Amino acid sequence: MTGQVSALDLAAGLGHGRSVSAETPNAFARRLDVVTAAVEAQLMSLLTDTPLPDEITRPARLLSAMRYATTGGKRLRPFLVVESAALFGVPEKLALFLGMAFELVHCYSLVHDDLPPMDDDDLRRGHPTVHRAFDEATAILAGDALLTLAFDLLANEAVHPDASVRVSLVSLLSRASGLGGMAGGQMLDLEAEGRFSTDHRPLSLSPAEIERIQSMKTGAILTAACEAGAILGQATPAHRQALHRYGRAFGFAFQISDDLIDAEGDEKTVGKHVGKDATRGKATLVSQLGIAEARKQLSTLIVEAEAALSPFDTKAAMLISAARFLATRNR
Ligand code: IPE
Ligand code: IPE
Ligand code: MG
Ligand code: MG
Ligand code: MG
């Protein structure tokens, strides 16, 4: 894993002075840009042609699909890890390494989400989806290899010298990604379309049932990204709980904003097709309650997310800005 450790040095430019006052949206955008650049540097280092000592070779087609699958994206999950960990004084380049594991799982989830038997999408981040640019088998394998690479990173001492901390992180990310988390939520999302019922009609779900689907398929990984910072910083249970509450509100708000963008967004700006949730009968708060009510819920969740950060006072200004960004984002 020497390539990865050297990537930490590449990311050394990540350091920034912590502000004690409320951050402006521009400060948030600049900070996200810095994390994005660091993530990109790490990706270059992780996805090199040179096999690691335990590997025989790195098949060029698979490697190329993995690079393609990890290109672009807002990098919000590593941002949440880095900013949550910063609350506890964790060196940013270490938190970034952990954030990469979350980004890899996220990228894998998108590749599989876009496959024909899932959402059947051909546009992602402004480009053809992985199975369109390559082929379905390669896309499945690229997803598999990104997911497993994420856990390889978590096993690395560069994440934290204490193995018990690393094991907690493995447990956190695997639960957030698996049966009771993202993968389980994706199952419920497809079921809600009605594709496994005899009449193939979308299920009629209550707002609480929709919230459960969304908090699993999208919220679980976002919540875990916030908690991961607390674990890395060996935070008190109360502080971890506060970040958990923030992450839950953030996660649900994030999916509502994704659904609003699908309903109202502009394809060129979004980088993915819009209007597809309605066509497929996806269970969203937008389809259930309408745009105005969904927007109201989004605002309420942002207030909830901010309130959860009160134990951190002004130190959490950047996380507050991240939550506010969800109300205005258009991609
Ligand atoms: C999109 O996530 C998929 C969902 C989980 C709703 P993002 O909007 O974070 O996707 P990228 O990484 O920025 O492309
Ligand atoms: C996807 O939700 C959530 C994942 C776990 C990938 P969506 O299906 O709404 O995401 P987009 O709109 O395709 O990015
Ligand atoms: Mg989907
Ligand atoms: Mg989709
Ligand atoms: Mg969507």
Side-chain angles (χ1 to χ4, degrees):
M1 303 291 268
T2 45
Q4 291 160 12
V5 176
S6 67
L8 294 178
D9 300 322
L10 268 176
L14 196 62
H16 70 295
R18 305 229 54 79
S19 171
V20 288
S21 59
E23 301 285 352
T24 65
N26 274 347
F28 165 72
R30 278 200 305 275
R31 182 77 190 110
L32 190 55
D33 279 350
V34 171
V35 172
T36 298
V39 165
E40 249 104 80
Q42 285 262 17
L43 284 168
M44 267 173 54
S45 172
L46 287 171
L47 301 175
T48 63
D49 304 330
T50 315
L52 295 175
D54 297 337
E55 295 172 341
I56 294 165
T57 187
R58 303 192 133 193
R61 185 174 179 83
L62 185 55
L63 183 59
S64 161
M66 289 167 77
R67 285 183 184 143
Y68 188 90
T70 51
T71 301
K74 294 178 289 297
R75 314 305 188 190
L76 274 177
R77 290 141 194 91
F79 176 90
L80 290 172
V81 173
V82 167
E83 288 302 323
S84 304
L87 295 173
F88 311 103
V90 175
E92 292 168 3
K93 58 183 187 176
L94 298 187
L96 176 73
F97 199 61
L98 170 59
M100 290 304 296
F102 283 81
E103 185 63 16
L104 292 171
V105 171
H106 168 61
C107 292
Y108 127 76
S109 79
L110 297 180
V111 176
H112 283 195
D113 181 73
D114 290 333
L115 285 167
M118 301 276 288
D119 284 353
D120 191 13
D121 264 311
D122 58 16
L123 187 69
R124 166 78 58 192
R125 296 169 169 171
H127 295 282
T129 46
V130 179
H131 66 274
R132 287 297 189 122
F134 293 79
D135 64 281
E136 288 175 28
T138 305
I140 291 168
L141 291 171
D144 294 344
L146 290 169
L147 175 62
T148 44
L149 179 58
F151 289 94
D152 190 11
L153 290 197
L154 289 186
N156 194 298
E157 278 189 357
V159 168
H160 197 281
D162 182 342
S164 70
V165 171
R166 301 202 299 277
V167 168
S168 297
L169 292 166
V170 166
S171 171
L172 179 83
L173 184 56
S174 53
R175 286 187 193 182
S177 312
L179 180 60
M182 187 274 291
Q186 291 283 68
M187 185 80 253
L188 297 177
D189 174 270
L190 298 178
E191 256 171 24
E193 279 183 28
R195 41 167 103 186
F196 310 118
S197 62
T198 41
D199 62 5
H200 295 291
R201 293 249 279 277
L203 310 190
S204 111
L205 299 179
S206 67
E209 286 168 320
I210 292 175
E211 177 173 356
R212 185 177 56 174
I213 295 176
Q214 302 202 332
S215 68
M216 287 172 71
K217 76 168 185 173
T218 305
I221 289 177
L222 289 164
T223 306
C226 300
E227 270 192 270
I231 294 179
L232 199 62
Q234 296 177 289
T236 61
H239 277 162
R240 178 169 168 180
Q241 192 52 36
L243 280 168
H244 179 85
R245 279 199 302 276
Y246 168 80
R248 284 208 43 113
F250 186 102
F252 192 24
F254 183 85
Q255 185 62 46
I256 295 176
S257 64
D258 184 80
D259 299 341
L260 282 165
I261 289 170
D262 183 87
E264 307 180 301
D266 156 63
E267 187 165 300
K268 264 209 152 47
T269 314
V270 183
K272 43 188 191 182
H273 293 309
V274 293
K276 52 197 167 49
D277 291 344
T279 311
R280 296 209 184 97
K282 287 285 186 199
T284 69
L285 274 195
V286 174
S287 67
Q288 173 91 184
L289 305 174
I291 285 179
E293 190 54 37
R295 219 165 248 300
K296 254 205 227 156
Q297 292 251 8
L298 172 59
S299 305
T300 307
L301 285 161
I302 292 169
V303 172
E304 252 177 55
E306 289 185 26
L309 295 173
S310 62
F312 305 108
D313 201 17
T314 50
K315 275 205 297 188
M318 200 55 87
L319 288 175
I320 289 176
S321 296
R324 289 181 186 168
F325 161 72
L326 300 181
T328 56
R329 74 185 185 104
N330 58 9
R331 58 177 282 264

